[in-house]
Amino acid sequence: MRKTICTLFFSLLFAIAGFSQSGDWQKDIQSILKSQQDMGHAFSKLAKQIDDVLWYERVGDIAFVDKLYIYGPPKWKEQNPTAKDAGNPVKFWTYVFMPANLDASKKYPLIVLPHGGVHGDFTTYYTHIVRELISQGYVIVAPEYRGSTGYGKAHYEKIDYGGLEVEDVYYSRNYMIENYDFVDKNRVGIIGWSHGGLITLMNIFDHPNDFQVAFAGVPVSDLIARMGYHEQSYRDLYEADYHIGKSANDNVAEYRRRSPAWNTHKYKGTPLLIHTNTNDEDVNVLEVEHLIKSLKAEGLPFEYEIFENIPGGHSFDRMDTKTAKEIRLKIYAHLAKQLKPEKPVKNLKELQKAGYKFQIAF
């Protein structure tokens, strides 16, 4: 971070020195800002490549790790609708994790695991969750849907938050079933936190017959409310020309269309568990409370738990603390009821053995 700031500072000094020659200060400043944006995408690509290597190091002892290039629907918003590539499918990468002792003659349950973030990616932040799932006998697909970071400016600006990225994730589910005979199409679960929780909810709303179970952790649930309590720099991510292009005030219907709390009428009863935390510093609990109330109004069963001030805030059940592990046991029990993995974890000792190379006595 310090190096990036220094680079920007010296770039500004050189630019200022050249202003008297160019005579166009505004143009020079815009050029500098574009250069910094390009540099940011270059750094993101490098970070992604490093993290890809770390995946093999951190889970390679128990899992096959692969990265596949697949596609989803065309962009929802074409800059040039008459261009020769207009209407082409959006291509993206997806991670696949399989148990190292996989027997291709058997059938395995599949977990679809979309990452979070307005612009984020699937990183080794999820290492222990992947290890815990793999050790139970799950196959995992984790798509780097449109708008994900680490793949350059063009992919970044394909973002469609709450829109066709949901379909990218669904396409990753379909890819696994179509290409791997050992994946059981009747045992597919989808789980995600934060924005991944939003994608999870929208998938079971739009494709209720194709997922047998779902978990949504601290899910982004109401984009209209979210635009109200977040700062303008956050709203700018949605108001960018290549994204929605308008504020929630100027196009409330579009933000509503992308919000799970305003789409619960599409819920058909997929076994669903929702977790939220009252001290979440990112997704305010009021969003998830709106979602819960909306789901209750539909009269269909689902499970939820509102945790009170659990340390960790937004990341409370993804951390490596004992409390977080205890909460993940609840998530895995919910999944196991429907997906029936070969080796479900039942207690902290089994969870520790499944997810961590070094064992702790409980």
Side-chain angles (χ1 to χ4, degrees), residues 58 114 134 142 159 196 228 242-243 250 256 265 306 325 331 347:
R58 301 191 72 176
I134 286 291
I159 185 172
Y242 53 80
H243 194 189
D250 291 331
R256 180 172 176 156
H265 58 280
I306 299 175
K325 293 172 189 176
I331 298 170
N347 53 54

PDB file of all heavy atoms in Angstrom, residues 58 114 134 142 159 196 228 242-243 250 256 265 306 325 331 347:
ATOM      1  N   ARG A  58      -1.803 -25.106   0.117  1.00  0.00           N
ATOM      2  CA  ARG A  58      -2.609 -25.143   1.335  1.00  0.00           C
ATOM      3  C   ARG A  58      -3.647 -26.266   1.365  1.00  0.00           C
ATOM      4  O   ARG A  58      -4.072 -26.678   2.438  1.00  0.00           O
ATOM      5  CB  ARG A  58      -3.279 -23.795   1.557  1.00  0.00           C
ATOM      6  CG  ARG A  58      -2.272 -22.647   1.669  1.00  0.00           C
ATOM      7  CD  ARG A  58      -2.883 -21.358   2.135  1.00  0.00           C
ATOM      8  NE  ARG A  58      -3.227 -21.424   3.562  1.00  0.00           N
ATOM      9  CZ  ARG A  58      -3.716 -20.405   4.248  1.00  0.00           C
ATOM     10  NH1 ARG A  58      -3.925 -19.243   3.652  1.00  0.00           N
ATOM     11  NH2 ARG A  58      -4.016 -20.538   5.522  1.00  0.00           N
ATOM     12  N   PRO A 114     -19.944 -19.387  -4.260  1.00  0.00           N
ATOM     13  CA  PRO A 114     -19.593 -18.073  -4.820  1.00  0.00           C
ATOM     14  C   PRO A 114     -18.932 -17.180  -3.776  1.00  0.00           C
ATOM     15  O   PRO A 114     -19.357 -17.140  -2.626  1.00  0.00           O
ATOM     16  CB  PRO A 114     -20.950 -17.502  -5.242  1.00  0.00           C
ATOM     17  CG  PRO A 114     -21.941 -18.173  -4.339  1.00  0.00           C
ATOM     18  CD  PRO A 114     -21.399 -19.548  -4.075  1.00  0.00           C
ATOM     19  N   ILE A 134     -14.035 -30.552   1.781  1.00  0.00           N
ATOM     20  CA  ILE A 134     -13.394 -31.637   1.039  1.00  0.00           C
ATOM     21  C   ILE A 134     -13.260 -32.881   1.911  1.00  0.00           C
ATOM     22  O   ILE A 134     -13.516 -34.013   1.472  1.00  0.00           O
ATOM     23  CB  ILE A 134     -12.000 -31.196   0.527  1.00  0.00           C
ATOM     24  CG1 ILE A 134     -12.147 -30.222  -0.647  1.00  0.00           C
ATOM     25  CG2 ILE A 134     -11.159 -32.408   0.112  1.00  0.00           C
ATOM     26  CD1 ILE A 134     -12.681 -30.837  -1.922  1.00  0.00           C
ATOM     27  N   ALA A 142     -16.110 -23.107  -7.350  1.00  0.00           N
ATOM     28  CA  ALA A 142     -16.084 -21.731  -6.840  1.00  0.00           C
ATOM     29  C   ALA A 142     -15.823 -20.785  -8.018  1.00  0.00           C
ATOM     30  O   ALA A 142     -14.668 -20.549  -8.384  1.00  0.00           O
ATOM     31  CB  ALA A 142     -15.005 -21.580  -5.774  1.00  0.00           C
ATOM     32  N   ILE A 159     -19.104  -6.297 -14.437  1.00  0.00           N
ATOM     33  CA  ILE A 159     -19.876  -6.482 -13.215  1.00  0.00           C
ATOM     34  C   ILE A 159     -21.380  -6.324 -13.453  1.00  0.00           C
ATOM     35  O   ILE A 159     -21.826  -5.434 -14.169  1.00  0.00           O
ATOM     36  CB  ILE A 159     -19.402  -5.502 -12.116  1.00  0.00           C
ATOM     37  CG1 ILE A 159     -20.124  -5.774 -10.797  1.00  0.00           C
ATOM     38  CG2 ILE A 159     -19.562  -4.051 -12.565  1.00  0.00           C
ATOM     39  CD1 ILE A 159     -19.586  -4.993  -9.616  1.00  0.00           C
ATOM     40  N   GLY A 196     -21.770 -13.245  -1.642  1.00  0.00           N
ATOM     41  CA  GLY A 196     -21.986 -14.649  -1.997  1.00  0.00           C
ATOM     42  C   GLY A 196     -23.290 -15.168  -1.430  1.00  0.00           C
ATOM     43  O   GLY A 196     -23.930 -16.056  -1.994  1.00  0.00           O
ATOM     44  N   GLY A 228     -28.384   3.555   1.325  1.00  0.00           N
ATOM     45  CA  GLY A 228     -28.668   4.621   2.277  1.00  0.00           C
ATOM     46  C   GLY A 228     -27.656   4.712   3.401  1.00  0.00           C
ATOM     47  O   GLY A 228     -27.303   5.807   3.834  1.00  0.00           O
ATOM     48  N   TYR A 242     -20.521   1.612 -16.547  1.00  0.00           N
ATOM     49  CA  TYR A 242     -20.485   0.217 -17.004  1.00  0.00           C
ATOM     50  C   TYR A 242     -21.298  -0.705 -16.098  1.00  0.00           C
ATOM     51  O   TYR A 242     -21.457  -1.884 -16.391  1.00  0.00           O
ATOM     52  CB  TYR A 242     -19.040  -0.290 -17.113  1.00  0.00           C
ATOM     53  CG  TYR A 242     -18.211  -0.100 -15.862  1.00  0.00           C
ATOM     54  CD1 TYR A 242     -18.325  -0.971 -14.780  1.00  0.00           C
ATOM     55  CD2 TYR A 242     -17.313   0.959 -15.767  1.00  0.00           C
ATOM     56  CE1 TYR A 242     -17.581  -0.795 -13.643  1.00  0.00           C
ATOM     57  CE2 TYR A 242     -16.551   1.141 -14.617  1.00  0.00           C
ATOM     58  CZ  TYR A 242     -16.685   0.261 -13.564  1.00  0.00           C
ATOM     59  OH  TYR A 242     -15.934   0.436 -12.422  1.00  0.00           O
ATOM     60  N   HIS A 243     -21.820  -0.172 -14.993  1.00  0.00           N
ATOM     61  CA  HIS A 243     -22.653  -0.983 -14.093  1.00  0.00           C
ATOM     62  C   HIS A 243     -24.093  -0.489 -14.203  1.00  0.00           C
ATOM     63  O   HIS A 243     -24.615  -0.345 -15.305  1.00  0.00           O
ATOM     64  CB  HIS A 243     -22.103  -0.910 -12.670  1.00  0.00           C
ATOM     65  CG  HIS A 243     -22.675  -1.942 -11.748  1.00  0.00           C
ATOM     66  ND1 HIS A 243     -22.452  -1.948 -10.400  1.00  0.00           N
ATOM     67  CD2 HIS A 243     -23.480  -2.997 -11.975  1.00  0.00           C
ATOM     68  CE1 HIS A 243     -23.069  -2.961  -9.840  1.00  0.00           C
ATOM     69  NE2 HIS A 243     -23.711  -3.617 -10.770  1.00  0.00           N
ATOM     70  N   ASP A 250     -32.479   7.374  -8.396  1.00  0.00           N
ATOM     71  CA  ASP A 250     -32.866   7.595  -9.793  1.00  0.00           C
ATOM     72  C   ASP A 250     -33.452   6.351 -10.461  1.00  0.00           C
ATOM     73  O   ASP A 250     -34.102   6.458 -11.503  1.00  0.00           O
ATOM     74  CB  ASP A 250     -31.656   8.077 -10.600  1.00  0.00           C
ATOM     75  CG  ASP A 250     -31.221   9.473 -10.194  1.00  0.00           C
ATOM     76  OD1 ASP A 250     -32.090  10.250  -9.747  1.00  0.00           O
ATOM     77  OD2 ASP A 250     -30.019   9.776 -10.309  1.00  0.00           O
ATOM     78  N   ARG A 256     -34.106  -2.705  -6.564  1.00  0.00           N
ATOM     79  CA  ARG A 256     -35.066  -3.640  -5.978  1.00  0.00           C
ATOM     80  C   ARG A 256     -34.990  -4.995  -6.680  1.00  0.00           C
ATOM     81  O   ARG A 256     -35.036  -6.048  -6.038  1.00  0.00           O
ATOM     82  CB  ARG A 256     -36.470  -3.052  -6.080  1.00  0.00           C
ATOM     83  CG  ARG A 256     -37.568  -3.918  -5.510  1.00  0.00           C
ATOM     84  CD  ARG A 256     -38.878  -3.158  -5.487  1.00  0.00           C
ATOM     85  NE  ARG A 256     -39.977  -3.977  -5.024  1.00  0.00           N
ATOM     86  CZ  ARG A 256     -41.077  -3.506  -4.480  1.00  0.00           C
ATOM     87  NH1 ARG A 256     -41.233  -2.198  -4.307  1.00  0.00           N
ATOM     88  NH2 ARG A 256     -42.037  -4.314  -4.075  1.00  0.00           N
ATOM     89  N   HIS A 265     -40.883 -13.560  -2.965  1.00  0.00           N
ATOM     90  CA  HIS A 265     -42.073 -14.193  -3.554  1.00  0.00           C
ATOM     91  C   HIS A 265     -41.698 -15.355  -4.471  1.00  0.00           C
ATOM     92  O   HIS A 265     -42.539 -16.197  -4.792  1.00  0.00           O
ATOM     93  CB  HIS A 265     -42.895 -13.161  -4.333  1.00  0.00           C
ATOM     94  CG  HIS A 265     -42.135 -12.484  -5.426  1.00  0.00           C
ATOM     95  ND1 HIS A 265     -41.257 -11.441  -5.184  1.00  0.00           N
ATOM     96  CD2 HIS A 265     -42.104 -12.703  -6.765  1.00  0.00           C
ATOM     97  CE1 HIS A 265     -40.732 -11.044  -6.335  1.00  0.00           C
ATOM     98  NE2 HIS A 265     -41.217 -11.791  -7.293  1.00  0.00           N
ATOM     99  N   ILE A 306     -29.936 -15.154  14.431  1.00  0.00           N
ATOM    100  CA  ILE A 306     -29.344 -13.827  14.565  1.00  0.00           C
ATOM    101  C   ILE A 306     -28.416 -13.868  15.771  1.00  0.00           C
ATOM    102  O   ILE A 306     -28.869 -13.957  16.912  1.00  0.00           O
ATOM    103  CB  ILE A 306     -30.428 -12.745  14.739  1.00  0.00           C
ATOM    104  CG1 ILE A 306     -31.348 -12.717  13.519  1.00  0.00           C
ATOM    105  CG2 ILE A 306     -29.784 -11.374  14.951  1.00  0.00           C
ATOM    106  CD1 ILE A 306     -32.525 -11.758  13.651  1.00  0.00           C
ATOM    107  N   LYS A 325     -15.832 -22.075  14.650  1.00  0.00           N
ATOM    108  CA  LYS A 325     -15.890 -23.497  14.293  1.00  0.00           C
ATOM    109  C   LYS A 325     -17.186 -24.134  14.790  1.00  0.00           C
ATOM    110  O   LYS A 325     -17.806 -24.952  14.081  1.00  0.00           O
ATOM    111  CB  LYS A 325     -14.683 -24.240  14.866  1.00  0.00           C
ATOM    112  CG  LYS A 325     -13.353 -23.824  14.248  1.00  0.00           C
ATOM    113  CD  LYS A 325     -12.201 -24.477  15.011  1.00  0.00           C
ATOM    114  CE  LYS A 325     -10.864 -23.908  14.565  1.00  0.00           C
ATOM    115  NZ  LYS A 325      -9.743 -24.452  15.365  1.00  0.00           N
ATOM    116  N   ILE A 331     -23.731 -25.147  10.321  1.00  0.00           N
ATOM    117  CA  ILE A 331     -23.888 -25.020   8.869  1.00  0.00           C
ATOM    118  C   ILE A 331     -23.726 -26.380   8.208  1.00  0.00           C
ATOM    119  O   ILE A 331     -24.535 -26.783   7.354  1.00  0.00           O
ATOM    120  CB  ILE A 331     -22.854 -24.027   8.306  1.00  0.00           C
ATOM    121  CG1 ILE A 331     -23.071 -22.631   8.898  1.00  0.00           C
ATOM    122  CG2 ILE A 331     -22.933 -23.972   6.775  1.00  0.00           C
ATOM    123  CD1 ILE A 331     -21.951 -21.644   8.593  1.00  0.00           C
ATOM    124  N   ASN A 347     -18.448 -33.032  15.470  1.00  0.00           N
ATOM    125  CA  ASN A 347     -17.994 -32.323  16.671  1.00  0.00           C
ATOM    126  C   ASN A 347     -16.729 -31.539  16.349  1.00  0.00           C
ATOM    127  O   ASN A 347     -16.170 -31.635  15.249  1.00  0.00           O
ATOM    128  CB  ASN A 347     -17.756 -33.310  17.822  1.00  0.00           C
ATOM    129  CG  ASN A 347     -16.830 -34.455  17.417  1.00  0.00           C
ATOM    130  OD1 ASN A 347     -15.732 -34.222  16.929  1.00  0.00           O
ATOM    131  ND2 ASN A 347     -17.281 -35.694  17.621  1.00  0.00           N
TER     132      ASN A 347
END
